[in-house]
Amino acid sequence: MAKFVLAGRADCPFYAKAEVLADYLQKNLPDFQIFKITQHPHVWEIVSGGNCSLASFIPRFNHPSGCGVQLCSSMSFSSPGLEWTATFLSFFIPSSTVSHGCSGTSVSFHEWLKDLCEKNKWNHEDSPIIWRELLDRGGKGLLLGGYNEFLEHAQLYYGVTSSMTTELMKVIAQENLGSHIEKELEKEALKSLIDPLQVWITSASAPACYNLIPILTSGEVFGMRTDISITLFDNKQAEEHLNILAMETWDLVSPILRSVSVCTRVEEAFLHAHVVIILDHPTDGEVYTLEDCLRSRVPMCRLYGYLIQKNAHDSVRVLVGGKTFVNLKAALLMRYAPNIAHNIIAVALGVEGEAKAALARKLKTTPSCIKDVIIWGNISGNSYVDLRKAKIYRYESAIWGPPHFSRPVLSLIFDSEWVNKDFVATIKQLNTTGKQFGGILAAHSIATTLKYWYHGSPPEEIVSLGVLSEGQFGIPEGLVFSMPVKFENGTWVVLTDLEDIEISEEIMTRMTSDLIQEKLVALGDLIHFQPYQSENRSAETDEKTTLPTTDDNQENQRVSDGSEGKTVEQ
């Protein structure tokens, strides 16, 4: 059995002539097999550089699990004798050079190529290069040389020669080049279909990341048909912790997890990212004042914004989660990454979940039975919990109905004192201390928001989300403001058609004033943060006011001033 390897430039006339001759021999001689490898002319020149560079001939083979081992790039190859390809590769590639696992690490062939050339004493400069395999009896391959040497071999052993004209050689060479380019384009198209979704998590040493990873790898967020690759990004000091977390993530044996890697190099951050999740980041050193804390967010957001816009995918989706200055961080990222500002959102479902849980405890039901609680304003600061659209399902009372039957939450809470004081105080305490907004709640709210973004939110359900205002509901333009939305068709839509959700001027002014000041202080345009003071605020003695009596169509409203730890009820 004679087995030959023919490799060369796709547009090389001599490669074309050798290929036609080899095809003729293979067709007419049952014991003759040819394995062909073509490269784009530019790749040949760059990789081979006129020297024997067999590394440029090694293709990319994929593990049955779908994890590829990159052996070379820009290849196309065909052979009716592919059954011996694996044997061929096992002979020419030492086992120590192949990377196991799916970490995405490229295989280096510099040392291997040097050893191979020295071992075989090969020296070849031109296209094509042809050698014979001696796998049947063992031993190194036999280098024939170029086209002339292959023609002499065919004449001597098989009595076959070639009389192809130069013009025909050039025509076939151009056809080979066109065919090679088509195959490469097809390969890229197929690759785009099977490439995993690149998910980057910043501040990955935070507790929220530990709770977020199992949800992402469960298939619940992106679906079981979407493979993902997770990159954990943090500073160099956290590298050891990230490596342990990466190993633990790989141990989950998730069917959709293609790879998990660690990145601590800033210049490599967010490469080809499809999803970027921004978690709470600890400030460098102690921060003594609110103003210092606000300003400390700018360098990080400026860096992240630049790198995301530079390195990430054009349609990257950015979620800002956590419990500290969520609106501000989203606004700063939009400022420093203007090209993707429309795809940057602030996660508000955590605060929404806290409000639903407090209502559920009062009504002795489960939080999942309560829907359409709206969070307005500053997610991690001066926000307003709106219960006017809130509904409760499957509530045990004198009135029962089918699963889709609901009742207004406010019609079931007869204790106005609890709504006006206890409920407000509970939410205010949770927001100002952040005690219950830990890793589990932050992770779940981020994952749920991401799931809605990709697959849509439940029909007819209101979702709270921090987005860039365009003047809806009287909110000043350019502020990142939490408001009611729905997710559909891979995007979000603000629910401007909701009725009876007008917000009083004083409450709106209070929320927008703090958001505007946060941004001005962070950017250095304002020295001191001055919480908004209403005209009647100065007359307060116990930091509280009493809610006026409302009719059936109105509802108690609540504002939590996170910056001062005070609560205003109106």
Side-chain angles (χ1 to χ4, degrees):
M1 177 73 68
K3 302 173 183 177
F4 291 85
V5 179
L6 168 63
R9 288 178 10 183
D11 67 340
C12 175
F14 294 100
Y15 176 90
K17 195 170 184 178
E19 180 188 27
V20 172
L21 177 57
D23 287 343
Y24 176 84
L25 293 173
Q26 183 169 252
K27 181 179 180 180
N28 292 277
L29 300 175
D31 292 334
F32 185 96
Q33 290 186 354
I34 184 69
F35 180 73
K36 293 181 286 187
I37 304 170
T38 59
Q39 284 189 322
H40 193 281
H42 298 308
V43 176
W44 177 277
E45 294 296 340
I46 293 172
V47 176
S48 65
N51 296 317
C52 173
S53 183
L54 298 179
S56 62
F57 303 141
I58 307 302
R60 176 189 176 98
F61 285 89
N62 289 321
H63 190 274
S65 65
C67 307
V69 179
Q70 180 66 50
L71 304 182
C72 190
S73 59
S74 302
M75 302 267 167
S76 66
F77 46 104
S78 59
S79 171
L82 290 180
E83 67 274 4
W84 58 273
T85 302
T87 309
F88 158 72
L89 286 175
S90 66
F91 176 78
F92 271 94
I93 305 177
S95 59
S96 60
T97 64
V98 181
S99 174
H100 298 281
C102 306
S103 61
T105 305
S106 297
V107 180
S108 174
F109 283 92
H110 293 294
E111 292 299 324
W112 171 84
L113 177 60
K114 180 180 178 181
D115 295 340
L116 179 66
C117 290
E118 290 179 355
K119 176 182 177 181
N120 295 326
K121 297 181 174 56
W122 289 356
N123 184 19
H124 189 83
E125 298 180 356
D126 302 320
S127 172
I129 179 172
I130 306 165
W131 69 91
R132 180 180 178 181
E133 296 303 312
L134 305 176
L135 299 179
D136 286 346
R137 66 170 184 261
K140 66 179 183 180
L142 176 64
L143 178 65
L144 295 183
Y147 167 72
N148 290 331
E149 290 77 11
F150 180 58
L151 181 60
E152 292 178 4
H153 182 86
Q155 289 175 337
L156 178 61
Y157 284 90
Y158 308 113
V160 178
T161 186
S162 174
S163 58
M164 183 184 297
T165 64
T166 302
E167 292 301 321
L168 183 57
M169 290 167 55
K170 292 181 179 179
V171 170
I172 296 177
Q174 290 304 311
E175 291 177 353
N176 282 344
L177 178 60
S179 177
H180 174 83
I181 293 174
E182 286 182 10
K183 289 180 180 179
E184 289 300 308
L185 293 175
E186 290 176 3
K187 191 159 57 177
E188 288 299 318
L190 291 174
K191 184 179 177 182
S192 66
L193 296 176
I194 63 174
D195 272 355
L197 197 71
Q198 299 291 335
V199 180
W200 283 70
I201 305 176
T202 71
S203 304
S205 59
C209 181
Y210 195 87
N211 295 279
L212 178 61
I213 288 175
I215 307 176
L216 296 178
T217 57
S218 68
E220 178 184 346
V221 176
F222 303 106
M224 293 303 297
R225 295 186 177 181
T226 301
D227 289 353
I228 64 173
S229 289
I230 296 177
T231 303
L232 308 174
F233 178 56
D234 212 322
N235 55 41
K236 188 69 175 178
Q237 289 75 16
E239 187 171 12
E240 182 178 356
H241 174 78
L242 297 186
N243 286 328
I244 296 173
L245 182 57
M247 292 177 61
E248 202 168 345
T249 301
W250 197 242
D251 292 343
L252 292 174
V253 198
S254 168
I256 67 168
L257 182 60
R258 186 79 66 84
S259 69
V260 56
S261 56
V262 171
C263 178
T264 58
R265 294 173 60 86
V266 172
E267 60 273 17
E268 298 174 0
F270 313 120
L271 282 174
H272 312 301
H274 297 101
V275 176
V276 175
I277 299 172
I278 308 292
L279 299 180
D280 281 331
H281 181 75
T283 54
D284 297 328
E286 292 189 56
V287 177
Y288 296 98
T289 66
L290 173 63
E291 289 79 5
D292 289 341
C293 195
L294 290 169
R295 296 185 185 107
S296 69
R297 266 58 187 177
V298 176
M300 179 197 72
C301 291
R302 182 191 295 118
L303 177 64
Y304 284 4
Y306 167 76
L307 291 172
I308 292 172
Q309 185 163 282
K310 176 177 179 288
N311 295 338
H313 196 274
D314 292 339
S315 60
V316 62
R317 304 182 185 192
V318 182
L319 293 87
V320 182
K323 59 185 178 182
T324 56
F325 304 109
V326 177
N327 295 58
L328 174 63
K329 288 187 288 188
L332 292 174
L333 287 171
M334 293 176 184
R335 175 186 179 91
Y336 296 116
N339 293 346
I340 59 169
H342 60 286
N343 267 358
I344 300 175
I345 61 175
V347 177
L349 289 186
V351 180
E352 186 178 312
E354 290 176 337
K356 291 178 179 178
L359 292 169
R361 285 191 290 270
K362 176 65 177 177
L363 294 171
K364 294 181 173 57
T365 185
T366 59
S368 62
C369 294
I370 300 174
K371 308 290 184 183
D372 299 345
V373 173
I374 302 174
I375 307 299
W376 297 90
N378 193 346
I379 297 165
S380 51
N382 202 343
S383 60
Y384 163 60
V385 178
D386 191 344
L387 302 180
R388 286 173 291 181
K389 295 296 180 182
K391 304 182 185 70
I392 185 169
Y393 294 80
R394 303 185 300 277
Y395 185 63
E396 296 183 8
S397 65
I399 302 176
W400 282 77
H404 62 272
F405 174 74
S406 65
R407 301 176 66 184
V409 167
L410 290 176
S411 69
L412 299 173
I413 301 179
F414 304 103
D415 186 357
S416 60
E417 184 76 8
W418 180 86
V419 175
N420 297 341
K421 295 183 178 180
D422 295 345
F423 175 69
V424 173
T426 298
I427 302 302
K428 181 264 297 187
Q429 183 180 14
L430 293 175
N431 277 358
T432 54
T433 63
K435 288 182 178 179
Q436 287 190 238
F437 201 91
I440 295 177
L441 182 57
H444 184 267
S445 59
I446 290 170
T448 304
T449 304
L450 195 53
K451 175 184 176 181
Y452 289 169
W453 202 347
Y454 272 87
H455 302 291
S457 54
E460 308 301 326
E461 187 171 322
I462 299 173
V463 178
S464 300
L465 185 70
V467 299
L468 188 65
S469 169
E470 297 178 353
Q472 308 96 324
F473 309 108
I475 304 168
E477 293 187 25
L479 288 182
V480 175
F481 203 92
S482 180
M483 59 184 77
V485 306
K486 66 177 179 180
F487 287 92
E488 60 181 7
N489 301 322
T491 186
W492 44 265
V493 179
V494 178
L495 298 176
T496 56
D497 57 347
L498 293 177
E499 298 178 355
D500 300 324
I501 58 169
E502 292 80 10
I503 302 176
S504 70
E505 182 179 353
E506 182 179 345
I507 293 178
M508 180 65 73
T509 303
R510 179 181 301 281
M511 290 187 291
T512 57
S513 173
D514 285 359
L515 284 171
I516 292 171
Q517 285 194 78
E518 280 186 3
K519 188 173 181 180
L520 291 176
V521 171
L523 295 174
D525 296 329
L526 189 65
I527 298 176
H528 298 293
F529 183 91
Q530 297 290 338
Y532 174 80
Q533 298 284 340
S534 62
E535 293 181 0
N536 59 0
R537 182 80 175 262
S538 59
E540 297 176 1
T541 57
D542 60 352
E543 299 180 354
K544 297 178 181 178
T545 61
T546 303
L547 277 164
T549 304
T550 59
D551 57 32
D552 292 339
N553 294 326
Q554 296 295 321
E555 182 219 334
N556 306 311
Q557 298 184 353
R558 163 263 174 198
V559 174
S560 170
D561 188 340
S563 61
E564 291 187 313
K566 299 178 181 179
T567 300
V568 178
E569 299 148 18
Q570 178 175 336

